[in-house]
């Protein structure tokens, strides 16, 4: 890259890195706070939560990298315009490639990171995360539950045992009211924490399930010989789904075992997960091009940053939202997978067409009218403030 291109690259990378750190920390803190209830009073569990929290990082970072790139690129381009550097580059006859290349390099670098995470790091981290939670819940059952006492394991989940000898439990009672429409109560003569495929599960033997429908008050009683719970969320294991989709390797998704019960009953889940992993890396490229569309044109200081950031984020959020909704449709019809692939590709082609035509989106009539409308609303709201506050604000200005 040329000197000016390296300068722009460093500036965009700095803004992108700051945005990425802020977004990851916000999402990470929210996720950790949601899972604090798994920590027991032991130092071991408190230490495990740090490791478990770290295992959230790869997927969280991959999810916000496209938005961090978009925000960082728009901030850098706005700052170039604010410092009149963008206008100087244009006046000196600098090609638009001088602006495009650094951002596209970062976009393709971000895409490569997401490919690595989606196919290698992400599944391993997801498996380590789930296994960490299983280990803590297994310790809670076998070590920390006191016989004869009712302990709240999670919100809406109460457990009691008669006796515990290591991983073996006698006389287990479990009340699950996490679903507001259904109350579930399990009784088992015996239970044990077992290892299967390197993961821990709670298996109930010789018991009953009392299922109460809160809508009409009806109660059904089901007797069972064996009932398995996944210790990652203390919910029944359905159809032998011992491994979540996010924990499966890409090779397993491409070549599933024909005898896999999950594949036999829910083959569309494999299509959904594979479609997501194959398209996630396209979003940084689409968002990088979109940042160039909304913010790469030279502007004077009198024009200001305009609606570049608002337009950039709204377009990116709309594309991602449509993608999430489309993913949910694949479970019903795998043909929706074609829509998942076409969304980011169509966005990339549309961005390239706008850049080729040199369309200034922020100066289009509809965007200007929308911006003027928001400014009018702001002025009307300002008039509602008491006169002394308006005068104080004018004096401060």
């Amino acid at each position: 890259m040329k000197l000016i291109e390296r300068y722009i690259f460093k500036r965009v990378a700095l803004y992108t890195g700051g945005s990425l750190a802020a977004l990851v920390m916000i999402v990470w803190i929210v996720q950790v706070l949601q899972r604090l209830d798994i920590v027991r009073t032991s130092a071991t569990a408190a230490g495990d939560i740090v490791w478990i929290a770290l295992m959230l990082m790869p997927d969280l970072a991959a999810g916000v990298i496209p938005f961090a790139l978009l925000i960082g690129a728009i901030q850098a381009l706005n700052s170039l315009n604010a410092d009149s550097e963008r206008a100087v580059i244009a006046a000196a006859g600098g090609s638009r490639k001088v602006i495009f290349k650094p951002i596209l390099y970062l976009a393709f670098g971000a895409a490569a990171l997401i490919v690595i995470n989606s196919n290698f790091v992400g599944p391993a981290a997801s498996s380590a995360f789930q296994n960490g939670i299983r280990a803590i819940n297994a310790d809670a059952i076998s070590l920390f539950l006191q016989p004869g006492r009712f302990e709240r394991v999670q919100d809406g989940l109460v457990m009691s045992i008669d006796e515990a000898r290591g991983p073996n439990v006698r006389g287990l009672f479990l009340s699950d009211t996490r679903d507001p429409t259904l109350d579930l109560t399990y009784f088992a003569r015996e239970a044990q924490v077992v290892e299967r495929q390197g993961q821990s599960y709670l298996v109930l033997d010789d018991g009953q399930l009392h299922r109460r429908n809160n809508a009409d008050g009806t109660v059904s009683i089901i007797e069972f010989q064996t009932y398995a719970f996944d210790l990652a969320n203390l919910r029944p294991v359905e159809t032998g789904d011992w491994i979540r989709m996010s924990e499966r390797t890409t090779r397993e998704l491409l070549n599933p075992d024909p005898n896999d019960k999950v594949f036999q009953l829910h083959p569309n889940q494999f299509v959904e997960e594979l479609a997501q992993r194959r398209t996630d890396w396209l979003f940084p490229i689409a968002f990088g091009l979109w940042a160039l569309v909304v913010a790469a044109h030279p502007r004077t200081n009198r024009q200001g940053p305009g609606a570049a950031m608002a337009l950039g984020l709204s377009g990116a959020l709309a594309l991602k939202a449509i993608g999430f909704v489309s993913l949910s449709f694949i479970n019903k019809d795998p043909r929706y997978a074609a829509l998942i692939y076409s969304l980011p590709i169509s966005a990339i082609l549309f961005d390239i067409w706008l850049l080729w035509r040199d369309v200034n989106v922020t100066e289009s009539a509809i965007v200007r009218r929308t911006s003027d409308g928001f400014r009018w609303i702001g002025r009307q709201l300002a008039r509602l403030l008491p006169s002394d506050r308006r005068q104080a604000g004018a004096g401060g200005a």
Side-chain angles (χ1 to χ4, degrees), residues 355-384:
L355 291 171
W356 176 64
R357 295 293 301 272
D358 197 21
V359 177
N360 193 343
V361 178
T362 55
E363 293 298 320
S364 62
I366 185 171
V367 173
R368 293 182 64 178
R369 283 197 293 266
T370 303
S371 300
D372 292 341
F374 279 114
R375 280 194 288 267
W376 180 85
I377 293 173
R379 289 194 298 268
Q380 298 305 313
L381 292 176
R383 291 179 180 179
L384 299 177

PDB file of all heavy atoms in Angstrom, residues 355-384:
ATOM      1  N   LEU A 355     -21.229   1.962  -5.874  1.00  0.00           N
ATOM      2  CA  LEU A 355     -19.888   2.557  -5.952  1.00  0.00           C
ATOM      3  C   LEU A 355     -19.470   2.783  -7.396  1.00  0.00           C
ATOM      4  O   LEU A 355     -18.831   3.798  -7.715  1.00  0.00           O
ATOM      5  CB  LEU A 355     -18.879   1.636  -5.240  1.00  0.00           C
ATOM      6  CG  LEU A 355     -19.023   1.535  -3.714  1.00  0.00           C
ATOM      7  CD1 LEU A 355     -18.109   0.440  -3.169  1.00  0.00           C
ATOM      8  CD2 LEU A 355     -18.708   2.867  -3.046  1.00  0.00           C
ATOM      9  N   TRP A 356     -19.818   1.859  -8.267  1.00  0.00           N
ATOM     10  CA  TRP A 356     -19.474   2.011  -9.688  1.00  0.00           C
ATOM     11  C   TRP A 356     -20.193   3.210 -10.297  1.00  0.00           C
ATOM     12  O   TRP A 356     -19.617   3.963 -11.080  1.00  0.00           O
ATOM     13  CB  TRP A 356     -19.830   0.726 -10.425  1.00  0.00           C
ATOM     14  CG  TRP A 356     -19.616   0.812 -11.908  1.00  0.00           C
ATOM     15  CD1 TRP A 356     -18.443   0.998 -12.572  1.00  0.00           C
ATOM     16  CD2 TRP A 356     -20.625   0.718 -12.914  1.00  0.00           C
ATOM     17  NE1 TRP A 356     -18.646   1.024 -13.921  1.00  0.00           N
ATOM     18  CE2 TRP A 356     -19.988   0.844 -14.174  1.00  0.00           C
ATOM     19  CE3 TRP A 356     -22.007   0.509 -12.883  1.00  0.00           C
ATOM     20  CZ2 TRP A 356     -20.682   0.798 -15.376  1.00  0.00           C
ATOM     21  CZ3 TRP A 356     -22.702   0.455 -14.087  1.00  0.00           C
ATOM     22  CH2 TRP A 356     -22.040   0.602 -15.302  1.00  0.00           C
ATOM     23  N   ARG A 357     -21.452   3.405  -9.888  1.00  0.00           N
ATOM     24  CA  ARG A 357     -22.219   4.545 -10.392  1.00  0.00           C
ATOM     25  C   ARG A 357     -21.908   5.829  -9.633  1.00  0.00           C
ATOM     26  O   ARG A 357     -22.409   6.888 -10.001  1.00  0.00           O
ATOM     27  CB  ARG A 357     -23.718   4.241 -10.283  1.00  0.00           C
ATOM     28  CG  ARG A 357     -24.218   3.101 -11.156  1.00  0.00           C
ATOM     29  CD  ARG A 357     -24.117   3.451 -12.629  1.00  0.00           C
ATOM     30  NE  ARG A 357     -24.897   4.642 -12.944  1.00  0.00           N
ATOM     31  CZ  ARG A 357     -26.186   4.632 -13.286  1.00  0.00           C
ATOM     32  NH1 ARG A 357     -26.840   3.459 -13.361  1.00  0.00           N
ATOM     33  NH2 ARG A 357     -26.823   5.753 -13.573  1.00  0.00           N
ATOM     34  N   ASP A 358     -21.082   5.734  -8.586  1.00  0.00           N
ATOM     35  CA  ASP A 358     -20.713   6.894  -7.766  1.00  0.00           C
ATOM     36  C   ASP A 358     -21.951   7.598  -7.215  1.00  0.00           C
ATOM     37  O   ASP A 358     -22.068   8.828  -7.245  1.00  0.00           O
ATOM     38  CB  ASP A 358     -19.866   7.876  -8.580  1.00  0.00           C
ATOM     39  CG  ASP A 358     -19.114   8.857  -7.673  1.00  0.00           C
ATOM     40  OD1 ASP A 358     -18.938   8.537  -6.493  1.00  0.00           O
ATOM     41  OD2 ASP A 358     -18.730   9.942  -8.163  1.00  0.00           O
ATOM     42  N   VAL A 359     -22.871   6.806  -6.675  1.00  0.00           N
ATOM     43  CA  VAL A 359     -24.120   7.336  -6.116  1.00  0.00           C
ATOM     44  C   VAL A 359     -23.858   7.832  -4.700  1.00  0.00           C
ATOM     45  O   VAL A 359     -23.348   7.086  -3.857  1.00  0.00           O
ATOM     46  CB  VAL A 359     -25.225   6.257  -6.111  1.00  0.00           C
ATOM     47  CG1 VAL A 359     -26.495   6.794  -5.457  1.00  0.00           C
ATOM     48  CG2 VAL A 359     -25.502   5.784  -7.526  1.00  0.00           C
ATOM     49  N   ASN A 360     -24.200   9.069  -4.434  1.00  0.00           N
ATOM     50  CA  ASN A 360     -24.063   9.652  -3.097  1.00  0.00           C
ATOM     51  C   ASN A 360     -25.385   9.437  -2.359  1.00  0.00           C
ATOM     52  O   ASN A 360     -26.313  10.254  -2.451  1.00  0.00           O
ATOM     53  CB  ASN A 360     -23.722  11.133  -3.189  1.00  0.00           C
ATOM     54  CG  ASN A 360     -23.259  11.688  -1.851  1.00  0.00           C
ATOM     55  OD1 ASN A 360     -23.479  11.087  -0.799  1.00  0.00           O
ATOM     56  ND2 ASN A 360     -22.622  12.843  -1.872  1.00  0.00           N
ATOM     57  N   VAL A 361     -25.478   8.330  -1.629  1.00  0.00           N
ATOM     58  CA  VAL A 361     -26.741   7.950  -0.998  1.00  0.00           C
ATOM     59  C   VAL A 361     -27.174   8.974   0.033  1.00  0.00           C
ATOM     60  O   VAL A 361     -28.363   9.292   0.156  1.00  0.00           O
ATOM     61  CB  VAL A 361     -26.599   6.550  -0.364  1.00  0.00           C
ATOM     62  CG1 VAL A 361     -27.885   6.155   0.349  1.00  0.00           C
ATOM     63  CG2 VAL A 361     -26.262   5.521  -1.429  1.00  0.00           C
ATOM     64  N   THR A 362     -26.234   9.499   0.802  1.00  0.00           N
ATOM     65  CA  THR A 362     -26.609  10.425   1.884  1.00  0.00           C
ATOM     66  C   THR A 362     -27.179  11.734   1.361  1.00  0.00           C
ATOM     67  O   THR A 362     -27.826  12.468   2.103  1.00  0.00           O
ATOM     68  CB  THR A 362     -25.390  10.726   2.775  1.00  0.00           C
ATOM     69  OG1 THR A 362     -24.319  11.228   1.953  1.00  0.00           O
ATOM     70  CG2 THR A 362     -24.936   9.475   3.501  1.00  0.00           C
ATOM     71  N   GLU A 363     -26.924  12.050   0.088  1.00  0.00           N
ATOM     72  CA  GLU A 363     -27.459  13.281  -0.495  1.00  0.00           C
ATOM     73  C   GLU A 363     -28.692  13.027  -1.352  1.00  0.00           C
ATOM     74  O   GLU A 363     -29.169  13.936  -2.024  1.00  0.00           O
ATOM     75  CB  GLU A 363     -26.382  13.960  -1.348  1.00  0.00           C
ATOM     76  CG  GLU A 363     -25.208  14.494  -0.544  1.00  0.00           C
ATOM     77  CD  GLU A 363     -25.639  15.570   0.453  1.00  0.00           C
ATOM     78  OE1 GLU A 363     -26.493  16.400   0.103  1.00  0.00           O
ATOM     79  OE2 GLU A 363     -25.120  15.555   1.589  1.00  0.00           O
ATOM     80  N   SER A 364     -29.210  11.800  -1.323  1.00  0.00           N
ATOM     81  CA  SER A 364     -30.416  11.515  -2.092  1.00  0.00           C
ATOM     82  C   SER A 364     -31.615  12.224  -1.473  1.00  0.00           C
ATOM     83  O   SER A 364     -31.620  12.584  -0.289  1.00  0.00           O
ATOM     84  CB  SER A 364     -30.667  10.009  -2.144  1.00  0.00           C
ATOM     85  OG  SER A 364     -30.876   9.500  -0.835  1.00  0.00           O
ATOM     86  N   ALA A 365     -32.646  12.399  -2.271  1.00  0.00           N
ATOM     87  CA  ALA A 365     -33.806  13.178  -1.831  1.00  0.00           C
ATOM     88  C   ALA A 365     -34.482  12.553  -0.618  1.00  0.00           C
ATOM     89  O   ALA A 365     -34.838  13.243   0.337  1.00  0.00           O
ATOM     90  CB  ALA A 365     -34.793  13.313  -2.988  1.00  0.00           C
ATOM     91  N   ILE A 366     -34.669  11.243  -0.641  1.00  0.00           N
ATOM     92  CA  ILE A 366     -35.387  10.595   0.458  1.00  0.00           C
ATOM     93  C   ILE A 366     -34.602  10.687   1.762  1.00  0.00           C
ATOM     94  O   ILE A 366     -35.176  10.913   2.831  1.00  0.00           O
ATOM     95  CB  ILE A 366     -35.710   9.123   0.094  1.00  0.00           C
ATOM     96  CG1 ILE A 366     -36.572   8.498   1.192  1.00  0.00           C
ATOM     97  CG2 ILE A 366     -34.427   8.308  -0.126  1.00  0.00           C
ATOM     98  CD1 ILE A 366     -37.099   7.129   0.812  1.00  0.00           C
ATOM     99  N   VAL A 367     -33.270  10.541   1.689  1.00  0.00           N
ATOM    100  CA  VAL A 367     -32.455  10.632   2.900  1.00  0.00           C
ATOM    101  C   VAL A 367     -32.463  12.056   3.437  1.00  0.00           C
ATOM    102  O   VAL A 367     -32.575  12.292   4.648  1.00  0.00           O
ATOM    103  CB  VAL A 367     -31.019  10.148   2.626  1.00  0.00           C
ATOM    104  CG1 VAL A 367     -30.121  10.399   3.831  1.00  0.00           C
ATOM    105  CG2 VAL A 367     -31.018   8.669   2.271  1.00  0.00           C
ATOM    106  N   ARG A 368     -32.369  13.029   2.539  1.00  0.00           N
ATOM    107  CA  ARG A 368     -32.379  14.424   2.987  1.00  0.00           C
ATOM    108  C   ARG A 368     -33.716  14.785   3.606  1.00  0.00           C
ATOM    109  O   ARG A 368     -33.765  15.478   4.629  1.00  0.00           O
ATOM    110  CB  ARG A 368     -32.064  15.341   1.801  1.00  0.00           C
ATOM    111  CG  ARG A 368     -30.639  15.176   1.278  1.00  0.00           C
ATOM    112  CD  ARG A 368     -30.333  16.116   0.145  1.00  0.00           C
ATOM    113  NE  ARG A 368     -30.392  17.514   0.571  1.00  0.00           N
ATOM    114  CZ  ARG A 368     -30.131  18.531  -0.232  1.00  0.00           C
ATOM    115  NH1 ARG A 368     -29.819  18.304  -1.515  1.00  0.00           N
ATOM    116  NH2 ARG A 368     -30.177  19.756   0.212  1.00  0.00           N
ATOM    117  N   ARG A 369     -34.819  14.329   2.998  1.00  0.00           N
ATOM    118  CA  ARG A 369     -36.134  14.622   3.580  1.00  0.00           C
ATOM    119  C   ARG A 369     -36.288  13.963   4.939  1.00  0.00           C
ATOM    120  O   ARG A 369     -36.857  14.540   5.871  1.00  0.00           O
ATOM    121  CB  ARG A 369     -37.243  14.162   2.629  1.00  0.00           C
ATOM    122  CG  ARG A 369     -37.472  15.089   1.451  1.00  0.00           C
ATOM    123  CD  ARG A 369     -38.812  14.812   0.793  1.00  0.00           C
ATOM    124  NE  ARG A 369     -38.820  13.500   0.163  1.00  0.00           N
ATOM    125  CZ  ARG A 369     -38.531  13.292  -1.120  1.00  0.00           C
ATOM    126  NH1 ARG A 369     -38.181  14.305  -1.898  1.00  0.00           N
ATOM    127  NH2 ARG A 369     -38.582  12.074  -1.618  1.00  0.00           N
ATOM    128  N   THR A 370     -35.777  12.728   5.060  1.00  0.00           N
ATOM    129  CA  THR A 370     -35.853  12.043   6.357  1.00  0.00           C
ATOM    130  C   THR A 370     -35.033  12.774   7.405  1.00  0.00           C
ATOM    131  O   THR A 370     -35.478  12.970   8.544  1.00  0.00           O
ATOM    132  CB  THR A 370     -35.357  10.591   6.215  1.00  0.00           C
ATOM    133  OG1 THR A 370     -36.131   9.923   5.220  1.00  0.00           O
ATOM    134  CG2 THR A 370     -35.484   9.852   7.535  1.00  0.00           C
ATOM    135  N   SER A 371     -33.817  13.197   7.045  1.00  0.00           N
ATOM    136  CA  SER A 371     -32.974  13.946   7.982  1.00  0.00           C
ATOM    137  C   SER A 371     -33.633  15.258   8.387  1.00  0.00           C
ATOM    138  O   SER A 371     -33.628  15.633   9.566  1.00  0.00           O
ATOM    139  CB  SER A 371     -31.598  14.209   7.361  1.00  0.00           C
ATOM    140  OG  SER A 371     -30.940  13.010   7.034  1.00  0.00           O
ATOM    141  N   ASP A 372     -34.209  15.957   7.399  1.00  0.00           N
ATOM    142  CA  ASP A 372     -34.900  17.207   7.713  1.00  0.00           C
ATOM    143  C   ASP A 372     -36.092  16.956   8.641  1.00  0.00           C
ATOM    144  O   ASP A 372     -36.372  17.757   9.538  1.00  0.00           O
ATOM    145  CB  ASP A 372     -35.379  17.886   6.425  1.00  0.00           C
ATOM    146  CG  ASP A 372     -34.227  18.394   5.562  1.00  0.00           C
ATOM    147  OD1 ASP A 372     -33.117  18.548   6.120  1.00  0.00           O
ATOM    148  OD2 ASP A 372     -34.436  18.610   4.362  1.00  0.00           O
ATOM    149  N   GLY A 373     -36.759  15.816   8.437  1.00  0.00           N
ATOM    150  CA  GLY A 373     -37.890  15.485   9.307  1.00  0.00           C
ATOM    151  C   GLY A 373     -37.459  15.254  10.742  1.00  0.00           C
ATOM    152  O   GLY A 373     -38.108  15.725  11.684  1.00  0.00           O
ATOM    153  N   PHE A 374     -36.362  14.549  10.930  1.00  0.00           N
ATOM    154  CA  PHE A 374     -35.874  14.322  12.293  1.00  0.00           C
ATOM    155  C   PHE A 374     -35.410  15.623  12.937  1.00  0.00           C
ATOM    156  O   PHE A 374     -35.625  15.838  14.137  1.00  0.00           O
ATOM    157  CB  PHE A 374     -34.728  13.299  12.274  1.00  0.00           C
ATOM    158  CG  PHE A 374     -35.194  11.869  12.217  1.00  0.00           C
ATOM    159  CD1 PHE A 374     -34.928  11.079  11.099  1.00  0.00           C
ATOM    160  CD2 PHE A 374     -35.892  11.303  13.271  1.00  0.00           C
ATOM    161  CE1 PHE A 374     -35.357   9.767  11.045  1.00  0.00           C
ATOM    162  CE2 PHE A 374     -36.328   9.979  13.220  1.00  0.00           C
ATOM    163  CZ  PHE A 374     -36.060   9.213  12.106  1.00  0.00           C
ATOM    164  N   ARG A 375     -34.770  16.489  12.147  1.00  0.00           N
ATOM    165  CA  ARG A 375     -34.357  17.777  12.712  1.00  0.00           C
ATOM    166  C   ARG A 375     -35.568  18.619  13.107  1.00  0.00           C
ATOM    167  O   ARG A 375     -35.552  19.291  14.141  1.00  0.00           O
ATOM    168  CB  ARG A 375     -33.482  18.514  11.702  1.00  0.00           C
ATOM    169  CG  ARG A 375     -32.034  18.039  11.667  1.00  0.00           C
ATOM    170  CD  ARG A 375     -31.143  19.012  10.920  1.00  0.00           C
ATOM    171  NE  ARG A 375     -31.415  18.963   9.492  1.00  0.00           N
ATOM    172  CZ  ARG A 375     -30.751  18.186   8.636  1.00  0.00           C
ATOM    173  NH1 ARG A 375     -29.785  17.386   9.080  1.00  0.00           N
ATOM    174  NH2 ARG A 375     -31.023  18.198   7.348  1.00  0.00           N
ATOM    175  N   TRP A 376     -36.633  18.563  12.296  1.00  0.00           N
ATOM    176  CA  TRP A 376     -37.864  19.302  12.638  1.00  0.00           C
ATOM    177  C   TRP A 376     -38.465  18.769  13.924  1.00  0.00           C
ATOM    178  O   TRP A 376     -38.911  19.531  14.783  1.00  0.00           O
ATOM    179  CB  TRP A 376     -38.857  19.190  11.480  1.00  0.00           C
ATOM    180  CG  TRP A 376     -40.154  19.917  11.745  1.00  0.00           C
ATOM    181  CD1 TRP A 376     -40.408  21.229  11.529  1.00  0.00           C
ATOM    182  CD2 TRP A 376     -41.347  19.336  12.296  1.00  0.00           C
ATOM    183  NE1 TRP A 376     -41.698  21.532  11.904  1.00  0.00           N
ATOM    184  CE2 TRP A 376     -42.299  20.381  12.391  1.00  0.00           C
ATOM    185  CE3 TRP A 376     -41.710  18.070  12.728  1.00  0.00           C
ATOM    186  CZ2 TRP A 376     -43.583  20.181  12.881  1.00  0.00           C
ATOM    187  CZ3 TRP A 376     -42.977  17.862  13.225  1.00  0.00           C
ATOM    188  CH2 TRP A 376     -43.903  18.891  13.295  1.00  0.00           C
ATOM    189  N   ILE A 377     -38.481  17.433  14.074  1.00  0.00           N
ATOM    190  CA  ILE A 377     -39.004  16.841  15.310  1.00  0.00           C
ATOM    191  C   ILE A 377     -38.166  17.291  16.503  1.00  0.00           C
ATOM    192  O   ILE A 377     -38.696  17.602  17.579  1.00  0.00           O
ATOM    193  CB  ILE A 377     -39.024  15.301  15.203  1.00  0.00           C
ATOM    194  CG1 ILE A 377     -40.042  14.854  14.142  1.00  0.00           C
ATOM    195  CG2 ILE A 377     -39.338  14.666  16.541  1.00  0.00           C
ATOM    196  CD1 ILE A 377     -40.010  13.369  13.853  1.00  0.00           C
ATOM    197  N   GLY A 378     -36.825  17.345  16.316  1.00  0.00           N
ATOM    198  CA  GLY A 378     -35.958  17.795  17.402  1.00  0.00           C
ATOM    199  C   GLY A 378     -36.252  19.227  17.806  1.00  0.00           C
ATOM    200  O   GLY A 378     -36.270  19.558  19.003  1.00  0.00           O
ATOM    201  N   ARG A 379     -36.496  20.082  16.806  1.00  0.00           N
ATOM    202  CA  ARG A 379     -36.815  21.474  17.142  1.00  0.00           C
ATOM    203  C   ARG A 379     -38.146  21.586  17.868  1.00  0.00           C
ATOM    204  O   ARG A 379     -38.301  22.382  18.806  1.00  0.00           O
ATOM    205  CB  ARG A 379     -36.832  22.316  15.865  1.00  0.00           C
ATOM    206  CG  ARG A 379     -35.456  22.557  15.255  1.00  0.00           C
ATOM    207  CD  ARG A 379     -35.501  23.653  14.202  1.00  0.00           C
ATOM    208  NE  ARG A 379     -36.372  23.286  13.079  1.00  0.00           N
ATOM    209  CZ  ARG A 379     -35.936  22.673  11.979  1.00  0.00           C
ATOM    210  NH1 ARG A 379     -34.651  22.347  11.862  1.00  0.00           N
ATOM    211  NH2 ARG A 379     -36.770  22.395  10.994  1.00  0.00           N
ATOM    212  N   GLN A 380     -39.123  20.765  17.451  1.00  0.00           N
ATOM    213  CA  GLN A 380     -40.421  20.804  18.128  1.00  0.00           C
ATOM    214  C   GLN A 380     -40.312  20.314  19.571  1.00  0.00           C
ATOM    215  O   GLN A 380     -40.941  20.869  20.476  1.00  0.00           O
ATOM    216  CB  GLN A 380     -41.436  19.936  17.362  1.00  0.00           C
ATOM    217  CG  GLN A 380     -41.700  20.402  15.942  1.00  0.00           C
ATOM    218  CD  GLN A 380     -42.140  21.848  15.864  1.00  0.00           C
ATOM    219  OE1 GLN A 380     -43.023  22.277  16.613  1.00  0.00           O
ATOM    220  NE2 GLN A 380     -41.511  22.614  14.976  1.00  0.00           N
ATOM    221  N   LEU A 381     -39.508  19.286  19.782  1.00  0.00           N
ATOM    222  CA  LEU A 381     -39.315  18.803  21.153  1.00  0.00           C
ATOM    223  C   LEU A 381     -38.583  19.836  21.997  1.00  0.00           C
ATOM    224  O   LEU A 381     -38.871  19.988  23.197  1.00  0.00           O
ATOM    225  CB  LEU A 381     -38.530  17.481  21.134  1.00  0.00           C
ATOM    226  CG  LEU A 381     -39.255  16.273  20.533  1.00  0.00           C
ATOM    227  CD1 LEU A 381     -38.323  15.059  20.478  1.00  0.00           C
ATOM    228  CD2 LEU A 381     -40.498  15.925  21.360  1.00  0.00           C
ATOM    229  N   ALA A 382     -37.639  20.562  21.384  1.00  0.00           N
ATOM    230  CA  ALA A 382     -36.901  21.582  22.130  1.00  0.00           C
ATOM    231  C   ALA A 382     -37.829  22.698  22.598  1.00  0.00           C
ATOM    232  O   ALA A 382     -37.625  23.294  23.657  1.00  0.00           O
ATOM    233  CB  ALA A 382     -35.776  22.145  21.267  1.00  0.00           C
ATOM    234  N   ARG A 383     -38.857  22.985  21.800  1.00  0.00           N
ATOM    235  CA  ARG A 383     -39.797  24.041  22.191  1.00  0.00           C
ATOM    236  C   ARG A 383     -40.622  23.667  23.420  1.00  0.00           C
ATOM    237  O   ARG A 383     -41.182  24.547  24.082  1.00  0.00           O
ATOM    238  CB  ARG A 383     -40.736  24.348  21.028  1.00  0.00           C
ATOM    239  CG  ARG A 383     -40.049  25.023  19.843  1.00  0.00           C
ATOM    240  CD  ARG A 383     -41.035  25.276  18.734  1.00  0.00           C
ATOM    241  NE  ARG A 383     -40.382  25.915  17.582  1.00  0.00           N
ATOM    242  CZ  ARG A 383     -41.016  26.227  16.458  1.00  0.00           C
ATOM    243  NH1 ARG A 383     -42.316  25.951  16.330  1.00  0.00           N
ATOM    244  NH2 ARG A 383     -40.347  26.798  15.472  1.00  0.00           N
ATOM    245  N   LEU A 384     -40.711  22.358  23.679  1.00  0.00           N
ATOM    246  CA  LEU A 384     -41.476  21.917  24.839  1.00  0.00           C
ATOM    247  C   LEU A 384     -40.723  22.125  26.146  1.00  0.00           C
ATOM    248  O   LEU A 384     -41.328  22.047  27.221  1.00  0.00           O
ATOM    249  CB  LEU A 384     -41.842  20.429  24.693  1.00  0.00           C
ATOM    250  CG  LEU A 384     -42.698  20.069  23.480  1.00  0.00           C
ATOM    251  CD1 LEU A 384     -42.931  18.556  23.427  1.00  0.00           C
ATOM    252  CD2 LEU A 384     -44.043  20.799  23.522  1.00  0.00           C
TER     253      LEU A 384
END
